[in-house]
Amino acid sequence: MVEVTVYNFSKLLPTISQLIKDSCFVSIDTEFTGSAIDYVHSMNLFDTMEERFNKLKSLAQHFLICQIGLSAFIKDQRANTYVTHTYNFHLFPSVCGLHDRRFSMQVCV
């Protein structure tokens, strides 16, 4: 995994762009500044896909994205396998528009 920072972003961008173009598929993962499931948003085995999506969307809107993971999967035809190239972007979002004073952190167990 490659850590992408403000210092190496410009240098890595052409490589990342080319890997995305050459890939069969990509995977994106986001990490948020917190997560909280309360009674109103609790997941239920009988939720439809739309209900589950709306619950998760509602929860995610209360937190900031602080990290994005990107993996590009390139098929190795000779070995019949995939080669994965993974990059980790740490984000420090700035406020646009209305100033939101909430910033929550939570330890994951």
Side-chain angles (χ1 to χ4, degrees), residues 17-101:
S17 296
Q18 190 60 50
L19 285 168
I20 291 171
K21 289 176 187 173
D22 295 344
S23 67
C24 296
F25 59 94
V26 297
S27 173
I28 298 173
D29 175 52
T30 56
E31 299 296 332
F32 291 85
T33 55
S35 65
I37 297 180
D38 55 27
Y39 177 74
V40 175
H41 297 98
S42 62
M43 302 301 148
N44 184 312
L45 289 174
F46 300 107
D47 285 346
T48 64
M49 288 178 69
E50 183 178 0
E51 289 169 331
R52 171 121 353 154
F53 173 82
N54 287 329
K55 287 179 181 181
L56 292 170
K57 177 184 169 195
S58 175
L59 287 170
Q61 290 174 332
H62 296 287
F63 301 101
L64 301 171
I65 296 176
C66 61
Q67 185 178 347
I68 294 178
L70 171 72
S71 293
F73 295 82
I74 299 176
K75 177 84 173 194
D76 180 341
Q77 297 293 347
R78 289 177 293 160
N80 198 28
T81 60
Y82 289 95
V83 177
T84 307
H85 301 272
T86 301
Y87 294 85
N88 189 30
F89 300 80
H90 292 277
L91 307 179
F92 300 98
S94 59
V95 176
C96 253
L98 296 175
H99 185 69
D100 186 354
R101 296 177 187 269

